Amino acid sequence: MPFLGRDWRSPGQSWVKTADGWTRFLDEKSGGFVGDISSFCKKDDHNKENRFNSLNYDVAAKKRKKDLLNSKAKIQYFHQEKWIYVHKGSTKERHGYCTLGEAFNRLDFSSAILDSRRFNYVVRLLELIAKSQLTSLSGIAQKNYMNILEKVVQKVLEDQQNIRLIRELLQTLYTSLCTLVQRVGKSVLVGNINMWVHRMESILHWQQQLNNIQITRPAFKGTTFTDLPLCLQLNIMQRLSDGRDLVSLGQVAPDLQVLTEDRLLWKKLCQYHFTDRQIRKRLILSDKGQLDWKKMYFKLVRCYPRKEQYGDTLQLCRHCHILSWKGTNHPCTANNPETCSTSLLPQDFINLFRF
């Protein structure tokens, strides 16, 4: 064993940062000799200057590292991987598991929110994580979650679309954070408690910005929705999958109010979201003795989850266990990759990482 002590250097030796790298020199008290001493042992003032520069270099490096890890840093942590491999066990080649936070960090969610087909999917996923999975994310994943959420809010403020959807997401997240911070305690959240208080203040600020949005009427003076034939108006209303959108549409004009009360319209909406068994358990009769489909819909919404449908979803390849967005080519070894891919709903995506 060549070195017995904690410090292998001889007495009197020190290290100095130079242009050629770290070099050791010998103090005058030691009286010893070190190779290439002529390159740095010129004067005592020169040695003191090297030590001072070395100290400043260490302080600056530590400061840069602290700023990079600081939660208030403006650097946003976005990955842009189109697919990842989901491994559920440790092998000789790979150790550890693929967690929810790792998948959330690596997949390309930052650009997915800019796609109208994937926007609702990402928002629903953020809502589910806010309800129960926020504490399972790592510190960098929690920071990434807030960065993506901020990007979603900015998009809604610019486009003035999906306002109610984001309001519900922010309210869900704020309620969960209040529970975690006040009741459970700060130990379940990664980072300083003041950092999470600052994030909760940001959520309140975003909610205020969404409440102050004033949608302006377009200057277009051509054919409007009410100018269309009644059959076309009803056909368009049947494309709405949320009953609250029908109620909001009926508040625009008295004529639309009459159309939105159509029993067949609400019946199709109930049959789309819920099964026949669920509908039979929640039958409501009107004063005329007929089924009140509108009241039944809102009662069913309170009792059962609605059917989820998205333009684009994440999919998992059953053959090679690769998770990617639908339509993304991944290096699959199967003969027919299209037949071995399964679309995942947001809840299925979260359940995938519950080992």
Side-chain angles (χ1 to χ4, degrees):
M1 185 172 182
F3 308 116
L4 299 178
R6 296 180 60 185
D7 193 350
W8 58 270
R9 297 173 296 182
S10 301
Q13 295 185 15
S14 300
W15 290 81
V16 176
K17 177 69 174 181
T18 63
D20 298 330
W22 288 95
T23 316
R24 60 180 180 175
F25 76 97
L26 194 63
D27 293 341
E28 294 179 354
K29 297 180 180 180
S30 61
F33 174 81
V34 181
D36 298 332
I37 193 173
S38 60
S39 62
F40 42 82
C41 288
K42 296 179 180 179
K43 293 182 179 180
D44 291 340
D45 295 338
H46 180 67
N47 295 334
K48 293 180 180 179
E49 183 179 358
N50 287 339
R51 294 179 183 179
F52 180 76
N53 294 334
S54 176
L55 180 61
N56 290 340
Y57 177 84
D58 293 340
V59 172
K62 292 180 180 180
K63 186 177 184 301
R64 286 195 300 269
K65 184 177 180 180
K66 181 179 180 181
D67 293 339
L68 182 62
L69 299 177
N70 191 0
S71 62
K72 296 182 180 179
K74 296 182 179 180
I75 301 177
Q76 293 187 346
Y77 189 75
F78 287 143
H79 280 288
Q80 296 182 353
E81 296 186 26
K82 296 182 179 180
W83 56 268
I84 62 173
Y85 173 72
V86 180
H87 50 98
K88 296 184 179 182
S90 298
T91 61
K92 294 182 179 180
E93 295 79 10
R94 184 185 294 271
H95 297 279
Y97 301 89
C98 184
T99 62
L100 176 63
E102 181 183 354
F104 188 78
N105 282 336
R106 294 174 57 189
L107 284 174
D108 189 9
F109 287 105
S110 59
S111 61
I113 60 179
L114 303 178
D115 192 339
S116 58
R117 300 171 302 172
R118 302 174 181 176
F119 181 82
N120 291 343
Y121 186 94
V122 177
V123 171
R124 177 59 177 167
L125 183 60
L126 293 176
E127 183 180 3
L128 292 176
I129 292 177
K131 286 182 178 180
S132 60
Q133 300 297 321
L134 190 60
T135 57
S136 65
L137 301 181
S138 61
I140 195 64
Q142 291 177 357
K143 180 180 179 181
N144 190 28
Y145 179 94
M146 297 301 299
N147 290 335
I148 293 179
L149 180 61
E150 182 179 4
K151 195 172 182 180
V152 168
V153 173
Q154 295 301 326
K155 181 179 184 301
V156 173
L157 292 176
E158 294 175 1
D159 301 343
Q160 295 186 349
Q161 298 179 3
N162 302 303
I163 298 176
R164 185 181 65 232
L165 190 65
I166 306 305
R167 283 177 181 172
E168 296 175 352
L169 170 60
L170 294 178
Q171 184 61 37
T172 301
L173 178 59
Y174 186 81
T175 303
S176 299
L177 289 180
C178 288
T179 304
L180 294 174
V181 172
Q182 297 177 1
R183 299 180 182 178
V184 181
K186 63 181 181 180
S187 60
V188 297
L189 294 173
V190 181
N192 190 280
I193 188 65
N194 296 326
M195 176 185 66
W196 285 102
V197 173
H198 175 73
R199 290 175 176 175
M200 294 174 67
E201 293 176 353
S202 300
I203 295 174
L204 293 177
H205 177 66
W206 294 337
Q207 289 178 330
Q208 186 64 31
Q209 287 182 314
L210 293 176
N211 294 332
N212 295 335
I213 290 181
Q214 296 181 357
I215 301 178
T216 58
R217 183 182 293 273
F220 180 71
K221 298 182 180 180
T223 303
T224 62
F225 180 75
T226 55
D227 296 334
L228 297 175
L230 296 180
C231 59
L232 291 180
Q233 294 182 26
L234 285 174
N235 194 2
I236 294 175
M237 291 180 183
Q238 292 177 1
R239 301 297 187 271
L240 300 177
S241 60
D242 196 335
R244 293 172 296 180
D245 294 333
L246 286 176
V247 175
S248 300
L249 183 60
Q251 297 174 354
V252 175
D255 296 338
L256 295 177
Q257 174 67 29
V258 176
L259 290 178
T260 55
E261 295 294 333
D262 185 70
R263 293 180 63 254
L264 182 60
L265 190 65
W266 290 98
K267 179 181 179 180
K268 291 184 177 180
L269 195 61
C270 290
Q271 293 176 345
Y272 174 77
H273 286 287
F274 309 103
T275 63
D276 294 338
R277 183 179 180 181
Q278 293 172 343
I279 293 175
R280 287 195 299 267
K281 290 183 177 181
R282 308 294 174 181
L283 295 179
I284 299 178
L285 297 179
S286 62
D287 298 335
K288 299 180 180 180
Q290 299 177 343
L291 292 177
D292 195 335
W293 290 101
K294 182 178 180 180
K295 291 184 179 180
M296 288 171 55
Y297 169 80
F298 288 105
K299 188 173 182 179
L300 289 168
V301 167
R302 293 191 298 267
C303 300
Y304 308 104
R306 291 178 298 176
K307 180 181 178 181
E308 299 182 29
Q309 186 175 6
Y310 305 96
D312 197 359
T313 62
L314 287 170
Q315 61 180 7
L316 178 67
C317 181
R318 299 188 302 270
H319 181 77
C320 54
H321 300 285
I322 287 181
L323 184 66
S324 62
W325 285 105
K326 188 176 181 180
T328 303
N329 295 326
H330 64 275
C332 185
T333 57
N335 296 328
N336 191 1
E338 297 180 357
T339 59
C340 59
S341 297
T342 304
S343 298
L344 299 178
L345 293 176
Q347 187 62 53
D348 299 330
F349 173 80
I350 293 179
N351 294 336
L352 182 63
F353 300 96
R354 290 179 178 175
F355 305 129

